[in-house]
Amino acid sequence: MAETKKKKGVYLPKKTYWHLYSLQNVQTEKLVGVVNKILKREYVLIK
């Protein structure tokens, strides 16, 4: 019998702190979502 193996991946926590320089390289659709969450205070902007 073949036994299936589950891969245990290392998962990073959801990114909630954003720096201005990291937002410069983000695609437009993702940038809009991040900015909206920053305005709703779900994410934190680091200056």
Side-chain angles (χ1 to χ4, degrees), residues 4-40:
T4 59
K5 293 183 181 179
K6 292 184 180 179
K7 290 185 179 180
K8 291 185 179 181
V10 177
Y11 298 103
L12 295 175
K14 186 176 177 182
K15 184 172 182 176
T16 57
Y17 290 89
W18 288 86
H19 195 274
L20 291 174
Y21 295 121
S22 64
L23 290 174
Q24 291 178 348
N25 298 327
V26 176
Q27 293 180 356
T28 307
E29 295 82 18
K30 188 170 183 179
L31 177 65
V32 170
V34 170
V35 170
N36 285 334
K37 289 189 178 190
I38 290 172
L39 293 174
K40 292 178 186 176

PDB file of all heavy atoms in Angstrom, residues 4-40:
ATOM      1  N   THR A   4       0.387   8.082   1.712  1.00  0.00           N
ATOM      2  CA  THR A   4       0.549   9.482   1.308  1.00  0.00           C
ATOM      3  C   THR A   4       1.245  10.251   2.424  1.00  0.00           C
ATOM      4  O   THR A   4       0.961  10.062   3.599  1.00  0.00           O
ATOM      5  CB  THR A   4      -0.812  10.140   1.008  1.00  0.00           C
ATOM      6  OG1 THR A   4      -1.602  10.065   2.183  1.00  0.00           O
ATOM      7  CG2 THR A   4      -1.516   9.438  -0.134  1.00  0.00           C
ATOM      8  N   LYS A   5       2.159  11.083   1.992  1.00  0.00           N
ATOM      9  CA  LYS A   5       2.899  11.891   2.949  1.00  0.00           C
ATOM     10  C   LYS A   5       2.426  13.331   2.838  1.00  0.00           C
ATOM     11  O   LYS A   5       2.281  13.869   1.754  1.00  0.00           O
ATOM     12  CB  LYS A   5       4.394  11.834   2.659  1.00  0.00           C
ATOM     13  CG  LYS A   5       5.002  10.478   2.883  1.00  0.00           C
ATOM     14  CD  LYS A   5       6.487  10.526   2.643  1.00  0.00           C
ATOM     15  CE  LYS A   5       7.116   9.160   2.848  1.00  0.00           C
ATOM     16  NZ  LYS A   5       8.540   9.190   2.605  1.00  0.00           N
ATOM     17  N   LYS A   6       2.172  13.922   3.960  1.00  0.00           N
ATOM     18  CA  LYS A   6       1.787  15.328   3.991  1.00  0.00           C
ATOM     19  C   LYS A   6       3.040  16.161   4.217  1.00  0.00           C
ATOM     20  O   LYS A   6       3.833  15.873   5.103  1.00  0.00           O
ATOM     21  CB  LYS A   6       0.794  15.607   5.114  1.00  0.00           C
ATOM     22  CG  LYS A   6      -0.552  14.963   4.896  1.00  0.00           C
ATOM     23  CD  LYS A   6      -1.513  15.357   5.988  1.00  0.00           C
ATOM     24  CE  LYS A   6      -2.856  14.710   5.775  1.00  0.00           C
ATOM     25  NZ  LYS A   6      -3.799  15.067   6.841  1.00  0.00           N
ATOM     26  N   LYS A   7       3.196  17.156   3.390  1.00  0.00           N
ATOM     27  CA  LYS A   7       4.339  18.045   3.546  1.00  0.00           C
ATOM     28  C   LYS A   7       4.017  19.078   4.611  1.00  0.00           C
ATOM     29  O   LYS A   7       2.969  19.709   4.580  1.00  0.00           O
ATOM     30  CB  LYS A   7       4.662  18.748   2.237  1.00  0.00           C
ATOM     31  CG  LYS A   7       5.221  17.833   1.188  1.00  0.00           C
ATOM     32  CD  LYS A   7       5.630  18.619  -0.025  1.00  0.00           C
ATOM     33  CE  LYS A   7       6.211  17.699  -1.069  1.00  0.00           C
ATOM     34  NZ  LYS A   7       6.631  18.442  -2.271  1.00  0.00           N
ATOM     35  N   LYS A   8       4.923  19.223   5.530  1.00  0.00           N
ATOM     36  CA  LYS A   8       4.756  20.238   6.565  1.00  0.00           C
ATOM     37  C   LYS A   8       5.504  21.480   6.104  1.00  0.00           C
ATOM     38  O   LYS A   8       6.728  21.511   6.106  1.00  0.00           O
ATOM     39  CB  LYS A   8       5.308  19.761   7.902  1.00  0.00           C
ATOM     40  CG  LYS A   8       4.503  18.641   8.509  1.00  0.00           C
ATOM     41  CD  LYS A   8       5.001  18.276   9.874  1.00  0.00           C
ATOM     42  CE  LYS A   8       4.163  17.171  10.479  1.00  0.00           C
ATOM     43  NZ  LYS A   8       4.633  16.817  11.824  1.00  0.00           N
ATOM     44  N   GLY A   9       4.763  22.474   5.688  1.00  0.00           N
ATOM     45  CA  GLY A   9       5.361  23.710   5.206  1.00  0.00           C
ATOM     46  C   GLY A   9       5.517  24.713   6.321  1.00  0.00           C
ATOM     47  O   GLY A   9       4.831  24.657   7.332  1.00  0.00           O
ATOM     48  N   VAL A  10       6.424  25.601   6.106  1.00  0.00           N
ATOM     49  CA  VAL A  10       6.611  26.687   7.050  1.00  0.00           C
ATOM     50  C   VAL A  10       5.809  27.864   6.528  1.00  0.00           C
ATOM     51  O   VAL A  10       6.030  28.355   5.429  1.00  0.00           O
ATOM     52  CB  VAL A  10       8.105  27.069   7.154  1.00  0.00           C
ATOM     53  CG1 VAL A  10       8.295  28.248   8.088  1.00  0.00           C
ATOM     54  CG2 VAL A  10       8.917  25.871   7.617  1.00  0.00           C
ATOM     55  N   TYR A  11       4.825  28.284   7.285  1.00  0.00           N
ATOM     56  CA  TYR A  11       3.950  29.365   6.877  1.00  0.00           C
ATOM     57  C   TYR A  11       4.292  30.624   7.647  1.00  0.00           C
ATOM     58  O   TYR A  11       4.466  30.598   8.857  1.00  0.00           O
ATOM     59  CB  TYR A  11       2.483  28.994   7.112  1.00  0.00           C
ATOM     60  CG  TYR A  11       2.063  27.790   6.307  1.00  0.00           C
ATOM     61  CD1 TYR A  11       1.938  26.541   6.885  1.00  0.00           C
ATOM     62  CD2 TYR A  11       1.820  27.915   4.951  1.00  0.00           C
ATOM     63  CE1 TYR A  11       1.575  25.438   6.138  1.00  0.00           C
ATOM     64  CE2 TYR A  11       1.453  26.820   4.193  1.00  0.00           C
ATOM     65  CZ  TYR A  11       1.329  25.583   4.790  1.00  0.00           C
ATOM     66  OH  TYR A  11       0.972  24.506   4.038  1.00  0.00           O
ATOM     67  N   LEU A  12       4.371  31.730   6.923  1.00  0.00           N
ATOM     68  CA  LEU A  12       4.642  33.015   7.547  1.00  0.00           C
ATOM     69  C   LEU A  12       3.323  33.663   7.958  1.00  0.00           C
ATOM     70  O   LEU A  12       2.301  33.454   7.315  1.00  0.00           O
ATOM     71  CB  LEU A  12       5.372  33.927   6.564  1.00  0.00           C
ATOM     72  CG  LEU A  12       6.763  33.458   6.146  1.00  0.00           C
ATOM     73  CD1 LEU A  12       7.319  34.390   5.075  1.00  0.00           C
ATOM     74  CD2 LEU A  12       7.698  33.404   7.330  1.00  0.00           C
ATOM     75  N   PRO A  13       3.340  34.456   8.997  1.00  0.00           N
ATOM     76  CA  PRO A  13       2.110  35.137   9.387  1.00  0.00           C
ATOM     77  C   PRO A  13       1.721  36.190   8.347  1.00  0.00           C
ATOM     78  O   PRO A  13       2.541  36.633   7.540  1.00  0.00           O
ATOM     79  CB  PRO A  13       2.464  35.792  10.724  1.00  0.00           C
ATOM     80  CG  PRO A  13       3.938  35.878  10.725  1.00  0.00           C
ATOM     81  CD  PRO A  13       4.443  34.740   9.891  1.00  0.00           C
ATOM     82  N   LYS A  14       0.483  36.587   8.366  1.00  0.00           N
ATOM     83  CA  LYS A  14      -0.014  37.589   7.432  1.00  0.00           C
ATOM     84  C   LYS A  14       0.707  38.915   7.672  1.00  0.00           C
ATOM     85  O   LYS A  14       0.889  39.334   8.817  1.00  0.00           O
ATOM     86  CB  LYS A  14      -1.511  37.752   7.655  1.00  0.00           C
ATOM     87  CG  LYS A  14      -2.194  38.628   6.685  1.00  0.00           C
ATOM     88  CD  LYS A  14      -3.690  38.629   6.966  1.00  0.00           C
ATOM     89  CE  LYS A  14      -4.425  39.556   6.071  1.00  0.00           C
ATOM     90  NZ  LYS A  14      -5.847  39.597   6.380  1.00  0.00           N
ATOM     91  N   LYS A  15       1.129  39.548   6.592  1.00  0.00           N
ATOM     92  CA  LYS A  15       1.871  40.809   6.699  1.00  0.00           C
ATOM     93  C   LYS A  15       0.901  41.930   7.050  1.00  0.00           C
ATOM     94  O   LYS A  15      -0.038  42.203   6.302  1.00  0.00           O
ATOM     95  CB  LYS A  15       2.574  41.111   5.380  1.00  0.00           C
ATOM     96  CG  LYS A  15       3.448  42.336   5.435  1.00  0.00           C
ATOM     97  CD  LYS A  15       4.254  42.479   4.166  1.00  0.00           C
ATOM     98  CE  LYS A  15       5.149  43.685   4.272  1.00  0.00           C
ATOM     99  NZ  LYS A  15       6.021  43.824   3.127  1.00  0.00           N
ATOM    100  N   THR A  16       1.110  42.555   8.197  1.00  0.00           N
ATOM    101  CA  THR A  16       0.221  43.633   8.620  1.00  0.00           C
ATOM    102  C   THR A  16       0.947  44.968   8.759  1.00  0.00           C
ATOM    103  O   THR A  16       0.298  45.998   8.913  1.00  0.00           O
ATOM    104  CB  THR A  16      -0.440  43.303   9.968  1.00  0.00           C
ATOM    105  OG1 THR A  16       0.568  43.048  10.934  1.00  0.00           O
ATOM    106  CG2 THR A  16      -1.352  42.090   9.842  1.00  0.00           C
ATOM    107  N   TYR A  17       2.253  44.973   8.706  1.00  0.00           N
ATOM    108  CA  TYR A  17       3.031  46.205   8.796  1.00  0.00           C
ATOM    109  C   TYR A  17       3.670  46.465   7.439  1.00  0.00           C
ATOM    110  O   TYR A  17       4.357  45.618   6.899  1.00  0.00           O
ATOM    111  CB  TYR A  17       4.116  46.091   9.867  1.00  0.00           C
ATOM    112  CG  TYR A  17       3.556  46.074  11.263  1.00  0.00           C
ATOM    113  CD1 TYR A  17       3.199  44.884  11.876  1.00  0.00           C
ATOM    114  CD2 TYR A  17       3.373  47.255  11.959  1.00  0.00           C
ATOM    115  CE1 TYR A  17       2.666  44.865  13.150  1.00  0.00           C
ATOM    116  CE2 TYR A  17       2.844  47.256  13.248  1.00  0.00           C
ATOM    117  CZ  TYR A  17       2.498  46.057  13.832  1.00  0.00           C
ATOM    118  OH  TYR A  17       1.971  46.062  15.086  1.00  0.00           O
ATOM    119  N   TRP A  18       3.410  47.635   6.892  1.00  0.00           N
ATOM    120  CA  TRP A  18       3.906  47.979   5.565  1.00  0.00           C
ATOM    121  C   TRP A  18       4.785  49.212   5.645  1.00  0.00           C
ATOM    122  O   TRP A  18       4.482  50.176   6.319  1.00  0.00           O
ATOM    123  CB  TRP A  18       2.741  48.260   4.616  1.00  0.00           C
ATOM    124  CG  TRP A  18       2.001  47.022   4.249  1.00  0.00           C
ATOM    125  CD1 TRP A  18       0.978  46.448   4.937  1.00  0.00           C
ATOM    126  CD2 TRP A  18       2.237  46.193   3.128  1.00  0.00           C
ATOM    127  NE1 TRP A  18       0.562  45.318   4.303  1.00  0.00           N
ATOM    128  CE2 TRP A  18       1.311  45.135   3.183  1.00  0.00           C
ATOM    129  CE3 TRP A  18       3.126  46.234   2.061  1.00  0.00           C
ATOM    130  CZ2 TRP A  18       1.264  44.141   2.219  1.00  0.00           C
ATOM    131  CZ3 TRP A  18       3.081  45.249   1.102  1.00  0.00           C
ATOM    132  CH2 TRP A  18       2.159  44.224   1.187  1.00  0.00           C
ATOM    133  N   HIS A  19       5.901  49.190   4.925  1.00  0.00           N
ATOM    134  CA  HIS A  19       6.816  50.316   4.839  1.00  0.00           C
ATOM    135  C   HIS A  19       6.577  51.020   3.506  1.00  0.00           C
ATOM    136  O   HIS A  19       6.183  50.392   2.528  1.00  0.00           O
ATOM    137  CB  HIS A  19       8.270  49.822   4.915  1.00  0.00           C
ATOM    138  CG  HIS A  19       9.229  50.917   5.184  1.00  0.00           C
ATOM    139  ND1 HIS A  19       9.759  51.691   4.195  1.00  0.00           N
ATOM    140  CD2 HIS A  19       9.761  51.374   6.343  1.00  0.00           C
ATOM    141  CE1 HIS A  19      10.581  52.583   4.721  1.00  0.00           C
ATOM    142  NE2 HIS A  19      10.594  52.412   6.019  1.00  0.00           N
ATOM    143  N   LEU A  20       6.789  52.308   3.469  1.00  0.00           N
ATOM    144  CA  LEU A  20       6.551  53.070   2.246  1.00  0.00           C
ATOM    145  C   LEU A  20       7.346  52.532   1.061  1.00  0.00           C
ATOM    146  O   LEU A  20       6.858  52.488  -0.066  1.00  0.00           O
ATOM    147  CB  LEU A  20       6.906  54.543   2.478  1.00  0.00           C
ATOM    148  CG  LEU A  20       5.982  55.317   3.413  1.00  0.00           C
ATOM    149  CD1 LEU A  20       6.533  56.712   3.656  1.00  0.00           C
ATOM    150  CD2 LEU A  20       4.599  55.387   2.840  1.00  0.00           C
ATOM    151  N   TYR A  21       8.581  52.112   1.304  1.00  0.00           N
ATOM    152  CA  TYR A  21       9.431  51.627   0.216  1.00  0.00           C
ATOM    153  C   TYR A  21       8.937  50.294  -0.338  1.00  0.00           C
ATOM    154  O   TYR A  21       9.078  50.025  -1.520  1.00  0.00           O
ATOM    155  CB  TYR A  21      10.883  51.502   0.672  1.00  0.00           C
ATOM    156  CG  TYR A  21      11.504  52.837   1.016  1.00  0.00           C
ATOM    157  CD1 TYR A  21      12.003  53.089   2.286  1.00  0.00           C
ATOM    158  CD2 TYR A  21      11.569  53.855   0.070  1.00  0.00           C
ATOM    159  CE1 TYR A  21      12.557  54.321   2.602  1.00  0.00           C
ATOM    160  CE2 TYR A  21      12.125  55.083   0.381  1.00  0.00           C
ATOM    161  CZ  TYR A  21      12.621  55.311   1.642  1.00  0.00           C
ATOM    162  OH  TYR A  21      13.167  56.512   1.946  1.00  0.00           O
ATOM    163  N   SER A  22       8.348  49.464   0.482  1.00  0.00           N
ATOM    164  CA  SER A  22       7.852  48.175  -0.009  1.00  0.00           C
ATOM    165  C   SER A  22       6.589  48.357  -0.844  1.00  0.00           C
ATOM    166  O   SER A  22       6.302  47.543  -1.721  1.00  0.00           O
ATOM    167  CB  SER A  22       7.588  47.220   1.153  1.00  0.00           C
ATOM    168  OG  SER A  22       6.560  47.714   1.972  1.00  0.00           O
ATOM    169  N   LEU A  23       5.848  49.430  -0.617  1.00  0.00           N
ATOM    170  CA  LEU A  23       4.645  49.687  -1.403  1.00  0.00           C
ATOM    171  C   LEU A  23       4.959  50.180  -2.814  1.00  0.00           C
ATOM    172  O   LEU A  23       4.123  50.109  -3.700  1.00  0.00           O
ATOM    173  CB  LEU A  23       3.756  50.714  -0.695  1.00  0.00           C
ATOM    174  CG  LEU A  23       3.083  50.227   0.582  1.00  0.00           C
ATOM    175  CD1 LEU A  23       2.355  51.375   1.258  1.00  0.00           C
ATOM    176  CD2 LEU A  23       2.137  49.086   0.286  1.00  0.00           C
ATOM    177  N   GLN A  24       6.182  50.652  -3.045  1.00  0.00           N
ATOM    178  CA  GLN A  24       6.554  51.145  -4.360  1.00  0.00           C
ATOM    179  C   GLN A  24       6.630  50.016  -5.386  1.00  0.00           C
ATOM    180  O   GLN A  24       6.439  50.245  -6.578  1.00  0.00           O
ATOM    181  CB  GLN A  24       7.898  51.865  -4.307  1.00  0.00           C
ATOM    182  CG  GLN A  24       7.844  53.167  -3.554  1.00  0.00           C
ATOM    183  CD  GLN A  24       9.200  53.832  -3.467  1.00  0.00           C
ATOM    184  OE1 GLN A  24      10.218  53.230  -3.782  1.00  0.00           O
ATOM    185  NE2 GLN A  24       9.218  55.083  -3.033  1.00  0.00           N
ATOM    186  N   ASN A  25       6.906  48.788  -4.949  1.00  0.00           N
ATOM    187  CA  ASN A  25       7.098  47.667  -5.860  1.00  0.00           C
ATOM    188  C   ASN A  25       5.872  46.766  -5.962  1.00  0.00           C
ATOM    189  O   ASN A  25       5.931  45.734  -6.608  1.00  0.00           O
ATOM    190  CB  ASN A  25       8.295  46.828  -5.407  1.00  0.00           C
ATOM    191  CG  ASN A  25       9.578  47.639  -5.442  1.00  0.00           C
ATOM    192  OD1 ASN A  25       9.736  48.502  -6.283  1.00  0.00           O
ATOM    193  ND2 ASN A  25      10.471  47.361  -4.517  1.00  0.00           N
ATOM    194  N   VAL A  26       4.763  47.165  -5.354  1.00  0.00           N
ATOM    195  CA  VAL A  26       3.563  46.332  -5.334  1.00  0.00           C
ATOM    196  C   VAL A  26       2.730  46.610  -6.593  1.00  0.00           C
ATOM    197  O   VAL A  26       2.649  47.748  -7.050  1.00  0.00           O
ATOM    198  CB  VAL A  26       2.743  46.626  -4.061  1.00  0.00           C
ATOM    199  CG1 VAL A  26       1.446  45.865  -4.040  1.00  0.00           C
ATOM    200  CG2 VAL A  26       3.562  46.288  -2.834  1.00  0.00           C
ATOM    201  N   GLN A  27       2.098  45.565  -7.118  1.00  0.00           N
ATOM    202  CA  GLN A  27       1.226  45.739  -8.283  1.00  0.00           C
ATOM    203  C   GLN A  27       0.026  46.608  -7.910  1.00  0.00           C
ATOM    204  O   GLN A  27      -0.364  46.692  -6.745  1.00  0.00           O
ATOM    205  CB  GLN A  27       0.736  44.387  -8.774  1.00  0.00           C
ATOM    206  CG  GLN A  27       1.827  43.531  -9.335  1.00  0.00           C
ATOM    207  CD  GLN A  27       1.305  42.193  -9.804  1.00  0.00           C
ATOM    208  OE1 GLN A  27       0.130  41.888  -9.647  1.00  0.00           O
ATOM    209  NE2 GLN A  27       2.182  41.400 -10.370  1.00  0.00           N
ATOM    210  N   THR A  28      -0.562  47.218  -8.919  1.00  0.00           N
ATOM    211  CA  THR A  28      -1.623  48.205  -8.707  1.00  0.00           C
ATOM    212  C   THR A  28      -2.806  47.643  -7.933  1.00  0.00           C
ATOM    213  O   THR A  28      -3.307  48.270  -6.994  1.00  0.00           O
ATOM    214  CB  THR A  28      -2.116  48.752 -10.059  1.00  0.00           C
ATOM    215  OG1 THR A  28      -0.983  49.229 -10.792  1.00  0.00           O
ATOM    216  CG2 THR A  28      -3.101  49.879  -9.863  1.00  0.00           C
ATOM    217  N   GLU A  29      -3.271  46.437  -8.304  1.00  0.00           N
ATOM    218  CA  GLU A  29      -4.436  45.855  -7.639  1.00  0.00           C
ATOM    219  C   GLU A  29      -4.154  45.584  -6.166  1.00  0.00           C
ATOM    220  O   GLU A  29      -4.996  45.826  -5.301  1.00  0.00           O
ATOM    221  CB  GLU A  29      -4.857  44.555  -8.328  1.00  0.00           C
ATOM    222  CG  GLU A  29      -5.342  44.745  -9.747  1.00  0.00           C
ATOM    223  CD  GLU A  29      -4.211  44.829 -10.762  1.00  0.00           C
ATOM    224  OE1 GLU A  29      -3.080  44.405 -10.442  1.00  0.00           O
ATOM    225  OE2 GLU A  29      -4.453  45.334 -11.861  1.00  0.00           O
ATOM    226  N   LYS A  30      -2.966  45.085  -5.881  1.00  0.00           N
ATOM    227  CA  LYS A  30      -2.613  44.792  -4.489  1.00  0.00           C
ATOM    228  C   LYS A  30      -2.407  46.089  -3.705  1.00  0.00           C
ATOM    229  O   LYS A  30      -2.755  46.168  -2.529  1.00  0.00           O
ATOM    230  CB  LYS A  30      -1.357  43.931  -4.442  1.00  0.00           C
ATOM    231  CG  LYS A  30      -1.040  43.440  -3.049  1.00  0.00           C
ATOM    232  CD  LYS A  30       0.046  42.415  -3.037  1.00  0.00           C
ATOM    233  CE  LYS A  30       0.281  41.904  -1.634  1.00  0.00           C
ATOM    234  NZ  LYS A  30       1.310  40.879  -1.569  1.00  0.00           N
ATOM    235  N   LEU A  31      -1.856  47.100  -4.354  1.00  0.00           N
ATOM    236  CA  LEU A  31      -1.638  48.389  -3.703  1.00  0.00           C
ATOM    237  C   LEU A  31      -2.957  49.003  -3.246  1.00  0.00           C
ATOM    238  O   LEU A  31      -3.059  49.513  -2.134  1.00  0.00           O
ATOM    239  CB  LEU A  31      -0.913  49.348  -4.648  1.00  0.00           C
ATOM    240  CG  LEU A  31      -0.679  50.763  -4.122  1.00  0.00           C
ATOM    241  CD1 LEU A  31       0.264  50.744  -2.932  1.00  0.00           C
ATOM    242  CD2 LEU A  31      -0.144  51.653  -5.219  1.00  0.00           C
ATOM    243  N   VAL A  32      -3.977  48.922  -4.089  1.00  0.00           N
ATOM    244  CA  VAL A  32      -5.294  49.459  -3.735  1.00  0.00           C
ATOM    245  C   VAL A  32      -5.849  48.747  -2.509  1.00  0.00           C
ATOM    246  O   VAL A  32      -6.368  49.373  -1.583  1.00  0.00           O
ATOM    247  CB  VAL A  32      -6.266  49.348  -4.930  1.00  0.00           C
ATOM    248  CG1 VAL A  32      -7.685  49.675  -4.505  1.00  0.00           C
ATOM    249  CG2 VAL A  32      -5.825  50.238  -6.064  1.00  0.00           C
ATOM    250  N   GLY A  33      -5.717  47.427  -2.479  1.00  0.00           N
ATOM    251  CA  GLY A  33      -6.212  46.661  -1.333  1.00  0.00           C
ATOM    252  C   GLY A  33      -5.467  46.985  -0.053  1.00  0.00           C
ATOM    253  O   GLY A  33      -6.071  47.125   1.017  1.00  0.00           O
ATOM    254  N   VAL A  34      -4.144  47.131  -0.162  1.00  0.00           N
ATOM    255  CA  VAL A  34      -3.333  47.437   1.026  1.00  0.00           C
ATOM    256  C   VAL A  34      -3.661  48.830   1.542  1.00  0.00           C
ATOM    257  O   VAL A  34      -3.818  49.032   2.747  1.00  0.00           O
ATOM    258  CB  VAL A  34      -1.829  47.301   0.697  1.00  0.00           C
ATOM    259  CG1 VAL A  34      -0.976  47.847   1.819  1.00  0.00           C
ATOM    260  CG2 VAL A  34      -1.474  45.855   0.419  1.00  0.00           C
ATOM    261  N   VAL A  35      -3.773  49.804   0.636  1.00  0.00           N
ATOM    262  CA  VAL A  35      -4.081  51.174   1.056  1.00  0.00           C
ATOM    263  C   VAL A  35      -5.453  51.243   1.720  1.00  0.00           C
ATOM    264  O   VAL A  35      -5.624  51.927   2.729  1.00  0.00           O
ATOM    265  CB  VAL A  35      -3.980  52.144  -0.149  1.00  0.00           C
ATOM    266  CG1 VAL A  35      -4.527  53.521   0.211  1.00  0.00           C
ATOM    267  CG2 VAL A  35      -2.540  52.253  -0.602  1.00  0.00           C
ATOM    268  N   ASN A  36      -6.431  50.526   1.168  1.00  0.00           N
ATOM    269  CA  ASN A  36      -7.755  50.509   1.799  1.00  0.00           C
ATOM    270  C   ASN A  36      -7.692  49.936   3.205  1.00  0.00           C
ATOM    271  O   ASN A  36      -8.337  50.448   4.122  1.00  0.00           O
ATOM    272  CB  ASN A  36      -8.746  49.718   0.946  1.00  0.00           C
ATOM    273  CG  ASN A  36      -9.190  50.484  -0.270  1.00  0.00           C
ATOM    274  OD1 ASN A  36      -9.170  51.708  -0.273  1.00  0.00           O
ATOM    275  ND2 ASN A  36      -9.586  49.764  -1.306  1.00  0.00           N
ATOM    276  N   LYS A  37      -6.915  48.883   3.394  1.00  0.00           N
ATOM    277  CA  LYS A  37      -6.805  48.295   4.739  1.00  0.00           C
ATOM    278  C   LYS A  37      -6.022  49.190   5.686  1.00  0.00           C
ATOM    279  O   LYS A  37      -6.270  49.196   6.891  1.00  0.00           O
ATOM    280  CB  LYS A  37      -6.183  46.906   4.645  1.00  0.00           C
ATOM    281  CG  LYS A  37      -7.137  45.919   4.019  1.00  0.00           C
ATOM    282  CD  LYS A  37      -6.644  44.514   4.120  1.00  0.00           C
ATOM    283  CE  LYS A  37      -7.693  43.592   3.508  1.00  0.00           C
ATOM    284  NZ  LYS A  37      -7.409  42.207   3.771  1.00  0.00           N
ATOM    285  N   ILE A  38      -5.073  49.957   5.151  1.00  0.00           N
ATOM    286  CA  ILE A  38      -4.355  50.925   5.992  1.00  0.00           C
ATOM    287  C   ILE A  38      -5.322  52.008   6.455  1.00  0.00           C
ATOM    288  O   ILE A  38      -5.313  52.408   7.620  1.00  0.00           O
ATOM    289  CB  ILE A  38      -3.158  51.529   5.221  1.00  0.00           C
ATOM    290  CG1 ILE A  38      -2.069  50.473   5.033  1.00  0.00           C
ATOM    291  CG2 ILE A  38      -2.592  52.745   5.947  1.00  0.00           C
ATOM    292  CD1 ILE A  38      -0.925  50.899   4.132  1.00  0.00           C
ATOM    293  N   LEU A  39      -6.185  52.469   5.549  1.00  0.00           N
ATOM    294  CA  LEU A  39      -7.160  53.501   5.920  1.00  0.00           C
ATOM    295  C   LEU A  39      -8.187  52.985   6.920  1.00  0.00           C
ATOM    296  O   LEU A  39      -8.691  53.750   7.754  1.00  0.00           O
ATOM    297  CB  LEU A  39      -7.854  54.034   4.668  1.00  0.00           C
ATOM    298  CG  LEU A  39      -6.961  54.826   3.707  1.00  0.00           C
ATOM    299  CD1 LEU A  39      -7.717  55.173   2.443  1.00  0.00           C
ATOM    300  CD2 LEU A  39      -6.430  56.079   4.376  1.00  0.00           C
ATOM    301  N   LYS A  40      -8.498  51.683   6.872  1.00  0.00           N
ATOM    302  CA  LYS A  40      -9.429  51.088   7.826  1.00  0.00           C
ATOM    303  C   LYS A  40      -8.739  50.687   9.122  1.00  0.00           C
ATOM    304  O   LYS A  40      -9.357  50.168  10.034  1.00  0.00           O
ATOM    305  CB  LYS A  40     -10.066  49.836   7.225  1.00  0.00           C
ATOM    306  CG  LYS A  40     -10.993  50.119   6.078  1.00  0.00           C
ATOM    307  CD  LYS A  40     -11.531  48.817   5.536  1.00  0.00           C
ATOM    308  CE  LYS A  40     -12.350  49.019   4.285  1.00  0.00           C
ATOM    309  NZ  LYS A  40     -12.796  47.743   3.710  1.00  0.00           N
TER     310      LYS A  40
END
